[in-house]
Amino acid sequence: MTGRTPDSRRLRDDTRSVSITVNYALNLVVATMLIGGVLTATGGMVQDRRESAVRTELSVVGERVASDLMAADRLAEVGSAGPGTDPTVSISVTLPERVGGTRYDVSIRTSPAVIVLRSDTPEVTVRVGFHHDTPVEETTVRGGNLRIELAGDGDVEVVAA
């Protein structure tokens, strides 16, 4: 007699407890892979939507700045038409400090006449053209409240308010 009982042989061949543990572990791995795949797939879509939203908001901000810049240009032209008068032009422009949750810069360029808006994260650049007869100073300011003024030298300039 070897000392083995029929019960010990039955327990040694029983793999049910291992099957439950392995089955549970495999289910966890599959669920983790599925969740990871979903997050990876939707992460790129969220980034694309954010870039699109920032681009749209920057376009709107650029149009507002261009409109006010052209209005200041017209006011400077009309004001300088009078003999012996110094024109005073000052337009306050209320803009958001952030678009799509990110900071942005407003750059005024004159050759060609374009306003370049550039966000930090995500990096999005939008260009909006404008027309001017009065000389405009090239500058770059941080997004937020701005002031468009006629400087002492007769140039229109954009400054942070």
Side-chain angles (χ1 to χ4, degrees):
M1 194 172 221
T2 61
R4 292 190 179 172
T5 62
D7 288 338
S8 66
R9 185 173 190 213
R10 193 174 55 192
L11 291 175
R12 189 176 40 151
D13 294 336
D14 187 14
T15 58
R16 286 181 294 171
S17 64
V18 173
S19 297
I20 292 172
T21 306
V22 170
N23 189 19
Y24 183 73
L26 285 175
N27 283 337
L28 284 177
V29 169
V30 169
T32 303
M33 290 176 60
L34 285 173
I35 291 172
V38 168
L39 291 177
T40 302
T42 58
M45 187 170 44
V46 169
Q47 182 66 18
D48 290 344
R49 292 293 175 207
R50 184 170 182 216
E51 285 181 14
S52 176
V54 168
R55 186 175 316 283
T56 301
E57 288 184 52
L58 285 178
S59 294
V60 170
V61 168
E63 292 293 335
R64 287 181 59 192
V65 172
S67 173
D68 290 337
L69 196 56
M70 289 187 292
D73 176 57
R74 287 189 301 274
L75 289 171
E77 287 294 314
V78 169
S80 64
T85 62
D86 280 338
T88 301
V89 175
S90 180
I91 298 175
S92 294
V93 184
T94 304
L95 300 174
E97 290 184 14
R98 296 177 179 271
V99 292
T102 186
R103 303 273 309 176
Y104 65 98
D105 292 325
V106 178
S107 299
I108 310 298
R109 303 288 173 245
T110 57
S111 182
V114 67
I115 300 167
V116 180
L117 297 105
R118 183 172 289 119
S119 68
D120 293 339
T121 307
E123 290 186 23
V124 176
T125 302
V126 173
R127 290 174 172 74
V128 177
F130 68 97
H131 174 76
H132 64 97
D133 293 323
T134 306
V136 176
E137 289 187 21
E138 291 193 358
T139 187
T140 300
V141 294
R142 199 68 158 153
N145 295 333
L146 306 176
R147 181 173 300 284
I148 301 172
E149 300 174 335
L150 186 61
D153 61 359
D155 291 356
V156 173
E157 62 182 8
V158 177
V159 295

